[in-house]
Amino acid sequence: MRVTVLTISGRAGENTIVEVWARRQALAAGAAGVQVDLATPRMPLALTLRALRRRRDFDLLHVHGIPAAEALRHARLDVPVVVSVYGPDVFGAAKRSDASGAAKAGEPAPPPPCPGLSCARLTLAGSEGAAALARTRGARETRVVHLGAELPTRTPRSLLRQSDLGQTPTLVTAGRLSARKRHADVLRALAVLAERHPGLRYLVIGAGPERIAIEGLACRLGVAERVQITGALPQEQTIERVRSCTVFVMPSTEEAFGVAYLEAMAAGVPAIGCRGEPGPEEIAAAGDGFVLVPPGDVERLCQRIDELISDPHRLREAGQHARETVTEHFTWKRCGEQTAQAYEDALR
């Protein structure tokens, strides 16, 4: 079985993290026995997909993201196609369809189909929620394949005693600086906890349109000196910084999965997400070390953070459980095996 994996999503500005995931998943599938070739064609995708097919001989094409899937309609390839969908593409399509459908009697219209998805023999989704949304857009057959995280080979710093590390407790969020990530909730929790935990800090990793708003809110709450915003960092450096912190906190909404949670948990950093979101709910259901809070509930968020950073034993135990959850359910090895099986089934 020869599979070509398209490592870009087809939409400018959204390819970086998708490419990271696409490459890592392809490597995992390769380790599971699939002959995988990576391709990064130029725009427009439809034309370069046809050229790619002329140059390469493969049994299956795997593309990532709805924009790339849309290009398939025009490319009209003669091979089976698998499409992977992620949070921003399926959620973004749902919101646009809801807005456009509100004109009739105040009710949203049914989501419009995505012809690119209907061209795929199989659509892979990161969570059951994302799979359900993909089906509303026209996906013929869906399957959940969770992305994974690397497990550190040495004892993670987060599993050592806080006194041994000599560091102050640090909350961390890694992701695009957008309103749905709800950095503001973490800042408000930080302000409430500041008196009880005078050394508490907040590390924000990422870039995006909300940076000025985040900085302004930190100043108004009087916690600016406790907050560091790094901007975007290379993926490996992001993971390293996250894993040196105490608790990963990202109570975001519209979270179809959340690889960032897993990358923290793999090193024994307990994580906090938002209840009612597809990805966080599935991660929490798989094991311990991941706590959910109601959306926008800063009081509950404060309680959960305080419970962890006030009790070193509880913090270490939560970190150990977090690592076990990833080890048992969310490794790249497991992802590669499930991806390889999906390829085989798509070729039947």
Side-chain angles (χ1 to χ4, degrees), residues 2 25-26 37 54 60 62 86 105 130 156 166 174 182 197 246 255-256 260 264 302 335:
R2 295 160 297 182
Q25 185 176 14
D37 294 316
R54 290 193 298 269
L60 181 76
H62 184 181
Y86 302 96
R182 304 194 70 87
H197 301 280
T246 312
E255 196 65 60
C302 286
C335 175

Side-chain angles (χ1 to χ4, degrees), residues 8-19 43 67 88 176 207-209:
I8 61 174
S9 72
R11 178 174 290 167
E14 294 186 0
N15 292 335
T16 302
I17 193 63
V18 171
E19 184 173 349
M43 302 298 174
R176 180 169 171 77

Side-chain angles (χ1 to χ4, degrees), residues 168-178 181-191 193 197-206 214-215 217-218 221 223-230 241-242 245-252 272 301 305 309:
T168 56
T170 303
L171 311 177
V172 60
T173 304
R176 180 169 171 77
L177 306 190
S178 61
K181 294 293 184 179
R182 304 194 70 87
H183 298 83
D185 288 359
V186 186
L187 287 173
R188 292 187 175 96
L190 177 66
L193 294 168
H197 301 280
L200 185 61
R201 298 290 184 268
Y202 181 30
L203 175 64
V204 179
I205 303 173
I214 292 169
E215 292 174 335
L217 180 59
L221 292 172
V223 295
E225 74 282 358
R226 297 171 178 265
V227 179
Q228 179 188 4
I229 303 177
T230 66
R241 293 293 300 273
V242 164
C245 296
T246 312
V247 183
F248 185 91
V249 188
M250 193 169 72
S252 58
I272 300 176
L301 181 61
I305 294 172
I309 64 178

Side-chain angles (χ1 to χ4, degrees), residues 152-168 170 239-246 264 266-270 315-316 319 323:
T153 54
R154 62 181 185 277
T155 301
R157 288 169 57 84
S158 52
L159 295 182
L160 300 175
R161 291 181 302 174
Q162 197 75 21
S163 58
D164 292 340
L165 296 175
Q167 67 181 45
T168 56
T170 303
I239 293 173
E240 182 179 352
R241 293 293 300 273
V242 164
R243 291 177 172 181
S244 69
C245 296
T246 312
V269 178
L315 179 65
R316 287 197 302 275
R323 182 177 169 88

Side-chain angles (χ1 to χ4, degrees), residues 100-183:
S100 64
K104 286 188 178 181
E107 296 182 0
C114 174
L117 288 181
S118 64
C119 295
R121 188 166 291 186
L122 180 62
T123 297
L124 304 184
S127 66
E128 293 290 350
L133 281 170
R135 288 192 292 273
T136 69
R137 316 232 97 57
R140 294 187 296 170
E141 182 179 349
T142 62
R143 181 174 304 183
V144 175
V145 174
H146 294 130
L147 299 178
E150 296 286 357
L151 293 166
T153 54
R154 62 181 185 277
T155 301
R157 288 169 57 84
S158 52
L159 295 182
L160 300 175
R161 291 181 302 174
Q162 197 75 21
S163 58
D164 292 340
L165 296 175
Q167 67 181 45
T168 56
T170 303
L171 311 177
V172 60
T173 304
R176 180 169 171 77
L177 306 190
S178 61
R180 75 175 185 86
K181 294 293 184 179
R182 304 194 70 87
H183 298 83

Side-chain angles (χ1 to χ4, degrees), residues 45-76:
L45 274 180
L47 294 177
T48 53
L49 280 172
R50 288 199 293 267
L52 179 69
R53 181 57 175 155
R54 290 193 298 269
R55 295 194 308 268
R56 298 191 184 185
D57 183 21
F58 50 87
D59 303 308
L60 181 76
L61 177 67
H62 184 181
V63 304
H64 292 259
I66 284 180
E70 283 296 293
L72 296 171
R73 283 194 301 145
H74 308 290
R76 297 180 181 178

